[in-house]
């Protein structure tokens, strides 16, 4: 081996870099995956709670509009259009709203409005449902 090639070989040998092996990288990825699987179920309940805020906000708006209608007409209305509530398009209709709002009953003394989820947020087969009445009692009928 010539002197020049020995120096070249020594330069290459000294320039090697320490690195992780493929096995070490796979073990770390498996650990991260296991940790994600432990955290993910907890996050679905947080997502459901965040979406439920939409239902609560819309039902509170319906409550305010119904009270305003009651003060003008001395009765509650069974029509969303009559009280001035314009529901957003739901996800099924190409919009962004997750809940469908409806007034179940209305009389001279009281009303009952309901918000029903248009999709099963956590995949358990039940659709989240909230109701509000003329006393502003907001109840979660079907939990998500």
């Amino acid at each position: 081996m010539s002197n020049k090639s020995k120096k070249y070989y020594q330069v290459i040998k000294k320039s090697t870099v320490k690195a992780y092996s493929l096995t070490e990288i796979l073990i770390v990825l498996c650990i991260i995956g296991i940790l994600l699987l432990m955290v993910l179920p907890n996050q679905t309940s947080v997502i459901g709670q965040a979406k439920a805020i939409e239902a609560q906000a819309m039902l509170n708006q319906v409550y305010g509009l119904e009270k305003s209608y009651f003060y003008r007409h001395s009765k509650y209305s069974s029509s969303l259009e009559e009280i001035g509530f314009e529901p957003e398009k739901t996800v099924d209709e190409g919009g962004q709203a997750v809940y469908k709002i409806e007034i179940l009953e209305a009389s001279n003394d009281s009303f009952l409005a309901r918000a029903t989820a248009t999709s099963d947020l956590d995949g358990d087969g039940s659709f989240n449902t909230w109701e509000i009445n003329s006393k502003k009692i907001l109840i979660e009928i079907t939990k998500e």
Side-chain angles (χ1 to χ4, degrees), residues 14-133:
K14 288 181 182 178
S15 67
T16 57
V17 179
K18 289 186 178 182
Y20 295 106
S21 68
L22 183 60
T23 307
E24 293 170 327
I25 293 173
L26 287 174
I27 289 171
V28 169
L29 289 175
C30 287
I31 291 170
I32 291 171
I34 290 168
L35 291 173
L36 282 174
L37 288 174
M38 290 170 46
V39 171
L40 194 60
N42 296 338
Q43 295 302 320
T44 55
S45 66
V46 172
I47 293 169
Q49 290 172 356
K51 292 192 185 261
I53 292 172
E54 173 192 342
Q56 296 168 9
M58 287 195 293
L59 286 175
N60 279 320
Q61 183 182 2
V62 167
Y63 171 82
L65 291 170
E66 280 282 12
K67 278 297 184 182
S68 176
Y69 185 88
F70 178 79
Y71 293 139
R72 286 179 295 185
H73 302 283
S74 298
K75 65 177 184 172
Y76 293 104
S77 173
S78 60
S79 168
L80 291 173
E81 294 80 24
E82 208 170 68
I83 63 172
F85 182 78
E86 295 179 22
E88 286 188 43
K89 288 185 179 182
T90 60
V91 176
D92 298 343
E93 302 166 339
Q96 294 182 349
V98 178
Y99 288 86
K100 180 182 178 202
I101 306 296
E102 59 188 338
I103 298 174
L104 299 178
E105 57 187 61
S107 66
N108 291 342
D109 303 347
S110 66
F111 77 92
L112 181 64
R114 176 180 287 168
T116 307
T118 57
S119 61
D120 187 9
L121 301 175
D122 62 0
D124 65 353
S126 63
F127 295 88
N128 189 232
T129 306
W130 288 83
E131 287 182 355
I132 194 167
N133 61 19

